[in-house]
Amino acid sequence: LDNIRSLNNIGSIFRTCDSFNVEKIFLCGICGTPPHREINKTALGATEFVSWEYHESTIEVINNLKKNNYKIVCVEQTKNSKDLNSFLNKKNEKIAFIFGNEVKGVSNEVISNSNLCLKIPQFGQKKSMNVSVCVGIVLWNEHIKQI
């Protein structure tokens, strides 16, 4: 998570990641960390089951993940973003999804250090979703492609 400001969003993301058995959450930058009353309110105990680490620098995390053969995938609307529906990962390929700040999105520096960007198709006028909703959509999409 790249600079997520809302503790409620962080808690919701923990809860969603638990339901999809996510290996680990990296909380970076301004992200709050458990234990925290506001995170716990929406996580409903999921912080006890999902491994997590805090790092000041998202780039540091990206570099470490790349060394361990992870594909770095930002979920962000850019001119080069690929549609989530067209994203196919190779079997047993390790992927780290990056989700960004509720207002500013994923930082440009993080985007430029990633392998690719994905966007979620949207049909309304706003073309914007809550970050915790995006996490659920992306993880569900990955899950159904593996069945």
Side-chain angles (χ1 to χ4, degrees):
L1 303 179
D2 182 37
N3 291 300
I4 304 294
R5 65 185 165 97
S6 165
L7 299 173
N8 289 320
N9 279 338
I10 292 170
S12 293
I13 292 167
F14 264 95
R15 192 168 168 193
T16 300
C17 287
D18 175 55
S19 69
F20 287 103
N21 202 29
V22 167
E23 179 182 342
K24 183 178 277 190
I25 298 174
F26 292 94
L27 302 160
C28 302
I30 65 168
C31 289
T33 61
H36 192 286
R37 183 175 54 88
E38 292 299 310
I39 293 173
N40 293 345
K41 187 177 357 177
T42 51
L44 295 177
T47 57
E48 301 299 316
F49 304 109
V50 180
S51 179
W52 64 272
E53 291 180 17
Y54 173 80
H55 293 268
E56 190 172 317
S57 168
T58 308
I59 297 300
E60 174 187 313
V61 172
I62 288 172
N63 290 336
N64 288 334
L65 288 168
K66 283 182 175 179
K67 288 177 189 173
N68 288 298
N69 300 313
Y70 278 82
K71 182 182 222 175
I72 310 301
V73 179
C74 289
V75 179
E76 186 61 68
Q77 297 171 7
T78 71
K79 65 178 182 168
N80 296 319
S81 291
K82 304 219 180 300
D83 195 299
L84 177 64
N85 294 330
S86 67
F87 177 65
L88 294 171
N89 60 316
K90 298 174 183 137
K91 188 173 182 166
N92 298 323
E93 183 175 43
K94 299 188 294 187
I95 298 174
F97 290 108
I98 299 179
F99 299 89
N101 180 273
E102 293 91 338
V103 176
K104 298 178 182 178
V106 178
S107 71
N108 288 333
E109 181 183 22
V110 169
I111 290 170
S112 66
N113 281 280
S114 300
N115 297 102
L116 71 126
C117 286
L118 294 177
K119 62 182 176 184
I120 298 170
Q122 298 177 47
F123 308 100
Q125 299 302 308
K126 184 83 170 118
K127 305 288 190 257
S128 174
M129 286 186 202
N130 179 281
V131 65
S132 65
V133 173
C134 291
V135 170
I137 291 169
V138 170
L139 294 180
W140 175 254
N141 189 62
E142 280 306 293
H143 173 74
I144 62 171
K145 287 181 180 177
Q146 294 177 15
I147 295 177

